[in-house]
Amino acid sequence: MEVLGFMAAAAALQLFQLVSGNLRRCSRSALLHGALWCSHTLLPALTAYALGLMQAAPSSNALYPIWALSLFLLAGGANAATAHDISDNARWPRRLLAYLQCYFLFTMLCRHLLSSSSGAGAAAVAVPFALLAAAAASSHALAVRASFAAADPGPSKAVADHMKDGAAMNPRKYLVRWPGHRVTSSSSSAAAAATYRCEMPKDDVITVDMVWDLCDREEEEATTTSFASHGVSVSRIKGACLSYSLSHLLKRRFFGLGCGEAGVAETRRFVVDGLLSDEDNADEHTEAFRVIEAELGFLHDFFYTKYASIFEGETTFLFTNALKIVLAFVLLVVLLLKPHDLLKGVSVVESTITGKVDIFVTVLVLGVFIAVEAWHTVMYLGSDWAMVSLACCRLTTSTNRFLPFGLRKLFGFLGRQPLVRYWHNSIGQYSVIESSRFLRRSKAFTFETEFEAMLVFSATAEYLRRAWGNLTTTEGLHFVELPDTLKPQIVSFLKSYYSDGHGHHPLSNGTASLQRNGVSRQLSWTLQNETQTENMLIWHIATDYLVIALPEPDDEAKGSKQSLRFQNREVATKLSRYCAYLMSEAPELLPGNSVETKFIFDHAMYEARETLGSQLRRKGQLRKVLTGSGDAGTIFTKGLKLGAKLETIRDGSQCWKLMSEFWVETILYNAPSDNAKAHMERLARGGEFLTHIWALLTHAGILTRSVEPISD
C-alpha cells in the first residue's frame, strides 16, 4: 500500500499540473501559483522515490510497470509545463538527466511484466505497453526540446539581423515563420573586418504580407478548400499570424538583441495608422490590445510550455497523441476485462481487496489521462497556434511538418473562437493610506537590533498581518476589472502624441498634463524628486486623499457611470492604486532600481502607519496631519499636502480630469524598459497590464523614455 500511496500522490500532482497549466497565465490566485510551485518542486523527487520503492519492493507486482508508465504518460501530457520559472529552461540538461534516471528504473521494473505475469491478459498488455512507453519517451523528448529552444538565442539573432534590412523594416515584411538560418560573413574591402550575420534561406520564409494576400484571395474565391469552408474566420488567421510575428520581436528583446526598426517612421505608422487606426469605425483599442494579448499568449507558451515545439512538428505530435489515447484505452479495457490473468501468480496480491484497489486506482489514472489528453489535443486544434499552422501549411512546401489541409476540415469548427482566455483583464490595487493600517508601528526588518530568530518571527508576523489586511478589506491588495475607458484613453493619447508632431520628444512623467491644465507653476514641485518612485507615491497619496475627501455623491454614483467625471475618477483612482501595486509587488517592471523602489515604497508605508496609526482613515484625521508639527518633508506629508491643494479646485470634474490625464501619462512613462525578462516572468503569474503597454510601445519604436528622433 505504501507504493500505491506514493504512486497515487505523484499521479495526482501530475494531473493537477496538466489541468491547471493553462490557468496560471490568466489567474492571479496566490494559492494556485503556490500549489503549482510545490507540485513542480516535489514531482521529480516524488516520482523517483515511487519508482525506487517499486524496484526495491520484496514482492513483485505486475502493475508496477503500468503504474510507472502512467506517471510517464502524465508527465509528457500535451499541456504539461516545461518550466515553472523562466530560468528552468536553461537547466534543460538537468531535466534530461532526470528523465534518463527514471527510465533506467523503469526498464528494471519492466522485467516483472515479462517474468512475473502470464496468461492472455499479460500478452495482451505487452504490445500496447511497449508502444505507449515509446510514445511517452517521444513526449519527454519534445519537452526537453522545448526547454532548449526557449533558452536558445539563435532564432532571435536571425530575426534581429533580418530586421536590419531596410525592406524588412516594413511591418508587412515581418517574419511569421522561417525554416532556419545560416551564418554569413562579408566585408566592404580586403582590409576591413568581416561582418557576421544570420541570413534567411530563399524558400519557405513566410511573412505577414504573404498571409494577408492569401487571406484576401481566400475571401474573394471562397472555394471548397478555402478557410471559410473549414469553418475558420479569415480575420482570426490574420490576427493570429500578426501576433505570432510580433512575438518574435519581443522575444528578440528578451535575449538583449537590438531593434533595428525602432527609429524608423514606418514602425511608428504601423501602430498609429495600423493597429490603432479607426478605419471602418472599428473599435481600434479593442483590436490593438487583442493582438497584443495574443502575442503575449504566444510568448507564455514559448517559454513555459511545449506548444512551440508541437507547432514545429504538428503532424508527429497529433499522430503520437492519438496513438497514446487509443493504446491507453486498450490497456484500460484489458485491465477491466482480464485483471486476474494479468495478476496471476503475483505474490503481493494476496487479498482480493488489495487487488481490486490496485486495479481501481490504475484504471482511474488511465481514464483521467485519456480524458485530459483528448481535451488538451482539442484545445491545441482550437488555439492560435493551430491558426498559424493552418496558414503556414498553405504557404510552405514542407507540408510534412503541419497537419494536412484536408484533415483540418474535421476540426475546423474549433477555430471559430479561442477556447481559452489569454488574460484576466484585471489590474492589481494597493493603497498606502488604507493598507498601512495593517502594519505594526516599528519597522519590520531592523537587522541591526534583532537576532536571527526574532528577524524570522518579525518577517513572518509582518507577512501574516498584511495577508490578514488583504483578506478582510477591499482596500488591501486586490484586483479589479480594467476600466472600460482606460484603453481608449491610452490609444487617444498615443495618437495625439504623434499627430501633434511630438513623436520625437521624450515621454512625459506627468509634466505635460500639468501644463495642459494650467497648474504647472503651482504643482511642478511634486515632480522634482530624486526618483520616479517618489513622484508616483506623492501623487498616489494625493489621489487617495481626494477619494476620502471628495466622495462620490450617492445619487451621482447610481446614475452617472457614463459621466465624464465618473470615468476620470475611476481611471485616476485605479491607475494610481495599480502603480502602488507595481511598486509593492513588481518593482522590477518600473523605472529605476527595483531594490530602491521597494525600499522607498516600504518607507512611505511605515510613515503612513506611524502618522495615522491603525484607525479607520477619515478626512479629519488626514487634515490633522497637515496642521500638526510633524516632518513636512516626508513623502507621506507631501502627498497629503498635494491632495489638499487639489481639493481647493472648485470644479470637481476639472480636478479628476487632471488626475486622469496625469496617471495615463505616468503609466505610459513607466512602460518602456529593457528588462524584458521581468515582463516574461510575470506572464506565468497572471501577467500585467503594464506588459501590454510595454509591448505596444515597443512595436511603435518607443524603447526608452528619451526617444530618439524618428527618421523618414
Side-chain angles (χ1 to χ4, degrees), residues 504-698:
H504 61 282
H505 289 173
L507 293 172
S508 166
N509 66 342
T511 54
S513 63
L514 301 186
Q515 292 170 359
R516 283 195 305 271
N517 289 275
V519 293
S520 179
R521 174 179 291 184
Q522 300 95 312
L523 302 181
S524 60
W525 60 270
T526 63
L527 300 176
Q528 295 173 358
N529 300 285
E530 290 186 6
T531 64
Q532 173 66 2
T533 302
E534 294 172 77
N535 295 342
M536 288 191 294
L537 279 170
I538 290 172
W539 279 84
H540 164 72
I541 293 168
T543 306
D544 270 4
Y545 174 91
L546 289 177
V547 171
I548 297 172
L550 301 175
E552 199 73 17
D554 291 338
D555 56 342
E556 191 173 343
K558 289 179 182 179
S560 65
K561 289 193 175 182
Q562 301 302 319
S563 70
L564 190 58
R565 172 174 174 168
F566 179 87
Q567 292 174 357
N568 286 332
R569 176 190 173 99
E570 182 185 35
V571 168
T573 303
K574 291 186 176 180
L575 275 185
S576 166
R577 294 182 176 182
Y578 179 54
C579 287
Y581 158 82
L582 291 173
M583 287 184 276
S584 173
E585 305 299 320
E588 65 276 6
L589 302 183
L590 296 173
N593 184 279
S594 60
V595 176
E596 289 285 348
T597 299
K598 190 68 169 66
F599 176 81
I600 295 171
F601 178 83
D602 288 341
H603 191 71
M605 287 283 290
Y606 289 116
E607 286 177 356
R609 178 63 175 84
E610 292 287 342
T611 305
L612 300 176
S614 60
Q615 301 174 356
L616 290 175
R617 294 354 188 181
R618 306 294 186 188
K619 179 179 178 180
Q621 187 185 22
L622 299 179
R623 282 189 169 279
K624 188 177 179 180
V625 175
L626 294 173
T627 58
S629 58
D631 187 358
T634 65
I635 292 175
F636 183 68
T637 306
K638 286 181 178 179
L640 293 181
K641 179 183 174 182
L642 172 60
K645 182 72 175 178
L646 292 169
E647 188 185 3
T648 61
I649 300 177
R650 293 185 178 181
D651 186 355
S653 299
Q654 185 65 25
C655 174
W656 287 115
K657 174 179 177 293
L658 165 65
M659 299 298 283
S660 175
E661 291 180 4
F662 172 85
W663 283 112
V664 169
E665 284 188 12
T666 298
I667 200 70
L668 286 169
Y669 179 82
N670 290 336
S673 170
D674 289 329
N675 194 356
K677 180 181 178 181
H679 283 284
M680 297 302 103
E681 288 175 338
R682 298 298 297 186
L683 292 180
R685 286 177 276 176
E688 295 295 345
F689 181 60
L690 189 67
T691 301
H692 291 66
I693 303 175
W694 169 74
L696 184 63
L697 294 184
T698 295

Side-chain angles (χ1 to χ4, degrees), residues 401-441:
R401 289 179 177 268
F402 302 107
L403 186 66
F405 193 77
L407 294 178
R408 292 178 181 271
K409 197 164 187 176
L410 299 173
F411 313 102
F413 67 95
L414 298 174
R416 292 171 185 170
Q417 293 292 334
L419 298 179
V420 295
R421 291 172 54 194
Y422 285 118
W423 192 51
H424 43 74
N425 201 43
S426 65
I427 54 177
Q429 300 283 278
Y430 205 76
S431 169
V432 169
I433 290 180
E434 296 291 348
S435 299
S436 60
R437 290 173 50 205
F438 303 100
L439 298 181
R440 61 174 185 166
R441 280 190 174 274

